[in-house]
């Protein structure tokens, strides 16, 4: 098979990278769509805050499973078939949520959502870059990042608005998402394949990511920074709706969606700063900003103030974005070309463990200490991790000078 990038006739293919980015955003929006709705599910099914965190974390385990087993499969079978499978998993997740009348179905919906995100994360990023015209390749990297993080932020904003101001709050958000997925599926079918010699999808085999020796020195601090940053995102998308409702008395789901959107919006802005800072400096600076965001989060929990919570989302999200893009840049630069995909998949495995394990820990502590004290303990632990990563990199920089 020839590389069809050299023979795009026009139409959808002319803006193929933007079409792929739009499909990327739609898929990722589905992974955070349930966030403002957890309170409604709690009322309907009668489960605890710990159950909310477990249901949320199932998503991360789905992502991790895909990254560990078939994270690089699109290099062999092509980008488009993998993305179509991801859109299918996302649609199946929406259908399960439409029928959800038990915690088991909520977990299944989250697992399917995690599978879709795992299939999209690396593949869609590569596809956007490969489809971009030569003169737009530099901007395409940001387009892919904005689609990823922006999609995650738009999910709770969309469901919050629809569930608050439109009828059928547990149905309409997923019905709208199914419509967006159908449109994305049709447009993705029109895109050219960019992998020369792609094999049939049935030939795909598990291919675990590898970590070459050249990467190990930088991987530890990069992984710690990614873990801490993603844990902040996990807290905002799983526990913050309960904190807003119980402690701050905010029951408007559109406001909940907007607060969660804020942290992802700030992450995108933080990533924009990295080219000026350089990836080596972005991680320690990002860790410092993340610590400031965690301090604001602790203050908002202790004082029960909405303004401080929004500020913590802005500051912490910016720090997470700086640290993540810096970590990805450092790992990608250190890895040999033939192992770069595996090394980045390993980094995202660590990052997604950050979304799951600390969040479940907050759920466990909330049952004993209350949500406020559990959140304070979380903020302290993540601040220590971020400080350790930043200090390690600063020592390395001084030793190298």
């Amino acid at each position: 098979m020839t590389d069809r990038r050299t023979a795009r006739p026009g139409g959808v293919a002319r803006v193929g990278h933007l079409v792929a980015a739009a499909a990327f955003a739609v898929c990722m929006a589905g992974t955070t769509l349930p966030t403002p709705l957890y309170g409604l599910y709690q009322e309907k099914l009668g489960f605890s805050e710990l159950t909310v965190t477990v249901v949320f974390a199932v998503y991360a385990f789905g992502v991790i499973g895909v990254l560990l087993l078939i994270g690089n499969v699109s290099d062999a079978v092509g980008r488009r078939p993998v993305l179509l499978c991801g859109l299918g998993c996302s649609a199946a997740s929406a259908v399960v949520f439409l029928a959800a009348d038990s915690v088991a179905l909520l977990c299944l919906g989250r697992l399917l959502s995690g599978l879709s995100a795992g299939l999209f994360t690396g593949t869609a990023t590569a596809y956007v870059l490969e489809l971009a015209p030569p003169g737009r390749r530099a901007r395409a990297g940001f387009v892919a990042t904005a689609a990823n993080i922006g999609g995650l932020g738009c999910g709770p904003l969309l469901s919050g608005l629809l569930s608050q101001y439109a009828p059928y709050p547990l149905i309409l958000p997923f019905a709208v998402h199914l419509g967006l997925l159908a449109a994305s599926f049709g447009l993705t079918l029109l895109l050219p394949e960019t992998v020369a010699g792609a094999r049939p999808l049935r030939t795909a085999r598990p291919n675990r990511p590898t970590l070459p020796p050249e990467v190990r020195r930088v991987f530890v601090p990069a992984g710690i920074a990614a873990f801490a940053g993603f844990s902040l995102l996990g807290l905002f998308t799983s526990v913050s709706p309960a904190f807003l409702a119980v402690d701050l008395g905010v029951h408007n789901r559109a406001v909940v969606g907007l607060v969660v959107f804020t942290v992802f919006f700030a992450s995108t802005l933080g990533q924009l700063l990295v080219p000026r800072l350089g990836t080596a400096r972005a991680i320690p600076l990002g860790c410092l900003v993340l610590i400031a965001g965690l301090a604001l989060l602790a203050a908002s929990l202790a004082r029960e103030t909405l303004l401080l919570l929004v500020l913590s989302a802005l500051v912490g999200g910016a720090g997470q974005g700086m640290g993540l893009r810096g970590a990805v840049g450092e790992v990608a630069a250190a890895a040999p070309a033939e192992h770069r995909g595996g090394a980045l998949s390993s980094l995202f495995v660590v990052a997604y463990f950050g979304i799951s394990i600390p969040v479940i820990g907050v759920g466990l502590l909330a049952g004993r200490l209350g949500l406020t004290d559990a959140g304070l303990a979380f903020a302290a632990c993540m601040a220590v991790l971020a400080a350790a990563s930043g200090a390690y990199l600063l020592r390395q920089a001084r030793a190298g000078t």
Side-chain angles (χ1 to χ4, degrees):
M1 181 184 295
T2 58
D3 190 339
R4 292 169 60 188
R5 283 176 295 173
T6 59
R8 285 182 276 169
V12 173
R14 188 178 303 167
V15 290
H17 67 299
L18 298 179
V19 174
F24 195 3
V26 168
C27 180
M28 299 310 291
T31 67
T32 52
L33 202 65
T35 295
L37 308 178
Y38 286 134
L40 293 176
Y41 284 117
Q42 281 183 287
E43 294 176 10
K44 179 181 178 181
L45 303 177
F47 51 78
S48 66
E49 196 59 42
L50 173 60
T51 303
V52 172
T53 59
V54 171
V55 169
F56 174 83
V58 167
Y59 155 79
F61 293 129
V63 179
I64 291 167
V66 170
L67 290 175
L68 285 175
L69 294 177
I70 54 173
N72 301 327
V73 71
S74 69
D75 292 333
V77 303
R79 312 296 185 203
R80 190 174 57 181
V82 174
L83 295 191
L84 293 174
C85 288
L87 290 170
C89 287
S90 187
S93 171
V95 170
V96 170
F97 271 104
L98 284 172
D101 58 0
S102 66
V103 173
L105 282 179
L106 291 179
C107 288
L108 177 59
R110 290 295 291 164
L111 179 63
L112 289 168
S113 183
L115 297 179
S116 70
L119 290 169
F120 255 82
T121 300
T123 301
T125 300
Y127 204 27
V128 170
L129 292 172
E130 292 163 357
L131 286 171
R136 301 181 183 176
R137 295 279 167 82
R139 294 182 181 179
F142 175 70
V143 169
T145 299
N148 187 349
I149 301 299
L152 289 169
C154 287
L157 186 61
L158 173 65
S159 62
L161 289 169
L162 289 177
S163 65
Q164 184 66 38
Y165 299 115
Y168 310 111
L170 293 180
I171 295 176
L172 190 59
F174 299 104
V176 170
H177 189 235
L178 279 172
L180 293 172
L181 287 169
S184 299
F185 194 94
L187 290 172
T188 302
L189 281 174
L190 299 176
L191 295 177
E193 180 55 66
T194 57
V195 174
R199 303 196 304 265
L201 186 61
R202 64 177 180 275
T203 64
R205 296 291 182 271
N207 185 15
R208 296 181 181 178
T210 56
L211 192 64
E214 300 93 328
V215 181
R216 291 170 188 168
R217 181 180 65 87
V218 72
F219 187 86
V220 172
I224 292 174
F227 182 96
F230 266 62
S231 68
L232 179 74
L233 299 183
L235 188 78
F236 268 92
T237 48
S238 63
V239 179
S240 65
F243 174 67
L244 283 164
V246 175
D247 293 271
L248 300 184
V250 177
H251 299 283
N252 187 304
R253 290 182 291 278
V255 174
V256 173
L258 182 60
V259 170
V260 178
F261 169 81
T262 300
V263 72
F264 289 103
F265 175 73
S267 174
T268 303
L269 294 181
Q271 293 183 48
L272 279 173
L273 298 175
V274 173
R276 296 182 179 181
L277 297 171
T279 56
R281 287 191 294 173
I283 300 178
L285 285 176
C287 288
L288 184 63
V289 176
L290 179 62
I291 291 170
L294 289 166
L296 287 167
L297 176 62
S300 72
L301 291 169
R303 299 192 175 211
E304 299 183 355
T305 305
L306 178 60
L307 177 60
L308 289 174
L309 183 66
V310 173
L311 287 175
S312 74
L314 286 170
V315 176
Q320 185 274 337
M322 293 166 61
L324 176 64
R325 188 166 178 182
V328 169
E330 286 292 283
V331 170
E338 63 273 17
H339 294 297
R340 188 166 295 136
L344 289 173
S345 292
S346 298
L347 178 67
F348 278 103
V349 166
V350 174
Y352 274 99
F353 270 119
I355 270 186
S356 56
I357 294 175
V359 167
I360 293 176
V362 170
L364 287 170
L365 286 175
R368 297 184 177 183
L369 305 177
L371 191 57
T372 297
D373 289 341
L376 290 171
F378 161 87
C381 291
M382 293 307 104
V384 169
L385 284 178
S389 174
Y392 180 84
L393 284 171
L394 288 174
R395 284 200 300 270
Q396 280 189 333
R398 290 174 182 174
T401 57

